[in-house]
Amino acid sequence: MTDQAQTAPAAKKLFIKTYGCQMNVYDSQRMAEAMGAEGYVLTEDQAQADMVLLNTCHIREKAAEKLYSDLGRLRSLKVAKPDMKIGVAGCVAQAEGAEITRRMPQVDLVVGPQSYHRLPAMARGEGPSIDTDFPAEDKFDHLPERMATRRAPAAFLTVQEGCDKFCAFCVVPYTRGAEVSRPVDRILSEARNLVARGVRELTLLGQNVNGWHGVGPDGREWGFGRLIRAIAEIDGLDRIRYTTSHPNDMADDLIAAHGDVPQLMPYLHLPVQSGSDRILKAMNRKHTAEQYLRLIDRIRAARPDILMTSDFIVGFPGETDQDHAATLRLVEQVGFGTAFSFKYSPRPGTTAYDRPEVEAAVADARLHELQALLGRQQQAVQQDMVGRTLGVLFEKPGRETGQMIGKSDYLHPVFVDAPQAQPGDLVQVRIVESRSNSLRGELLT
Ligand code: 5AD
Ligand code: SF4
């Protein structure tokens, strides 16, 4: 060790816990980069941290409750280490603001998802300790360039944020704000930068990602399909995915891109929430079950092997047994690769909040039934992969010696015995076994 290293002040340590969706994962990376410029390095050990940042989720009541139980546990750590700063970021910060510091005085900073570029200044003690503005400036213009915080071959890239759809159950339009599309040049430069650092797969993120639009370098108005085509031209980028989409924003050009952009992976998460027209209307989804089914026909006509996934809410206020049966029917008709299903959780501020709730036991039984059906479909789809040869992008070593874990084209985790391989290798693998939530494959030599 050199003298300099011995006398240099130890870097401050930052521990980040991320709850919720992939955009929070992305935001946590950007916050880590911003704090990195302030001399903070990431630690995995909360007890060692000079700052603990909780990047929160407000989508369902349980998600928000987790924050308060974690903050309760952090109280004793702060007593032992009074200089440690505690920050709350993300959607609970946005929704609850000063209520958080009122309930939990040990919290030093509260920062919403649109103002986290101000986090470094807040941490220095400059400016307010609570910032839940929707500032006029674009946070991305005030954040450091993407850095390789982790050398991972797959990365997220936010292209759009916020939502104007106002589904009756959803807090996102309030916590993330109105729909904003990032400009084409910024997206392309961030994408090129990531690819130059070894990224081979990009997942484009947005609460309503397929509602993205912007003006291209040709001066024309671009839709999301056109953006994907431009990103696909980046040399060295092998795979493109995107999430999350609204059925009403699946434009013709985007559907066509699934047929003619080879880098666009055959996987689409397209939440439908319910199969009952009555409930879809009450949810303000602005489409029918039939329209969703016809849309999937068109997507499958463009890309026949596409694996469809979705989100469902059971027990939405007013949901009857017939409505639930209609949801099961829709699931049978589509055949999903996997899907997320949730029991309705009333969220303050949303239009459905005050509506009479379905009895908890009934909602539980419906959730159970739906999940059983979705589970059977998932197993059938995975079983169908056995014997097929698929592309797999290795992401990290597995637990067993010589094993690698990667994702297939269809986003299934695949375990492969590949002692010579490195993360970032994109290989051809023959699937030999389906396990509960993953596949096992053999390297084709
Ligand atoms: N209750 C239950 N599930 C919800 N979701 C969003 N809001 C609620 C709520 N209040 C689900 C939807 C959405 C997914 C991200 O979370 O299915 O698509
Ligand atoms: Fe929430 Fe999605 Fe509906 Fe927007 S479209 S309100 S994010 S469920």
Side-chain angles (χ1 to χ4, degrees), residues 272-288:
V272 62
Q273 316 294 356
S274 169
S276 152
D277 288 344
R278 233 174 47 82
I279 294 299
L280 286 168
K281 194 159 198 297
M283 286 176 163
N284 194 31
R285 290 290 294 179
K286 299 200 174 83
H287 62 78
T288 62

Side-chain angles (χ1 to χ4, degrees), residues 46 48-49 61 114 137 188 234 274 281 286 322 430:
Q46 189 171 275
Q48 294 291 319
E61 193 181 0
Q114 300 312 341
E137 80 259 19
L188 291 177
I234 299 174
S274 169
K281 194 159 198 297
K286 299 200 174 83
Q322 286 77 18
R430 208 166 64 88

Side-chain angles (χ1 to χ4, degrees), residues 365-419:
R366 287 180 190 161
L367 185 63
H368 190 78
E369 193 177 11
L370 175 60
Q371 288 183 340
L373 172 59
L374 290 166
R376 288 196 296 277
Q377 291 193 339
Q378 180 181 334
Q379 289 315 314
V381 167
Q382 286 187 197
Q383 201 57 50
D384 259 8
M385 299 285 164
V386 176
R388 287 180 60 183
T389 297
L390 307 177
V392 172
L393 177 63
F394 286 145
E395 292 183 5
K396 56 183 180 197
R399 238 181 266 148
E400 289 165 30
T401 328
Q403 193 183 52
M404 292 295 284
I405 307 176
K407 297 272 168 51
S408 79
D409 300 342
Y410 303 95
L411 207 59
H412 289 118
V414 186
F415 291 80
V416 185
D417 203 22

Side-chain angles (χ1 to χ4, degrees), residues 82-152:
D83 288 344
M84 185 185 79
K85 283 196 162 61
I86 300 180
V88 175
C91 293
V92 181
Q94 189 63 43
E96 304 203 350
E99 175 66 11
I100 298 173
T101 44
R102 200 191 57 74
R103 266 179 78 176
M104 297 283 177
Q106 72 271 30
V107 171
D108 301 284
L109 307 168
V110 177
V111 64
Q114 300 312 341
S115 38
Y116 66 71
H117 55 300
R118 296 173 180 166
L119 180 66
M122 294 171 81
R124 269 183 254 128
E126 296 161 16
S129 57
I130 299 178
D131 192 339
T132 53
D133 267 8
F134 286 106
E137 80 259 19
D138 180 349
K139 66 174 177 255
F140 295 115
D141 289 345
H142 297 266
L143 289 166
E145 281 240 317
R146 298 303 304 276
M147 290 186 279
T149 38
R150 282 186 305 145
R151 281 216 153 267

Side-chain angles (χ1 to χ4, degrees), residues 163 165-167 169-170 172-173 207-208 246 273 285:
C163 181
K165 296 270 193 290
F166 290 93
C167 297
F169 49 81
C170 185
V172 167
Q207 272 88 31
N208 233 320
H246 192 287
Q273 316 294 356
R285 290 290 294 179

Side-chain angles (χ1 to χ4, degrees), residues 10-15 39-43 45 48-52:
K12 286 175 280 181
K13 297 203 173 79
L14 171 67
F15 174 89
Y40 280 84
V41 295
L42 281 178
T43 176
D45 181 1
Q48 294 291 319
D50 298 288
M51 180 169 182
V52 171

Side-chain angles (χ1 to χ4, degrees), residues 59-60 169-170 271 273 311-313 342-345 347:
I59 198 91
R60 285 169 291 276
F169 49 81
C170 185
Q273 316 294 356
D311 289 341
F312 293 90
I313 295 177
F342 311 99
K343 197 161 82 164
Y344 170 69
S345 166
R347 306 306 289 130

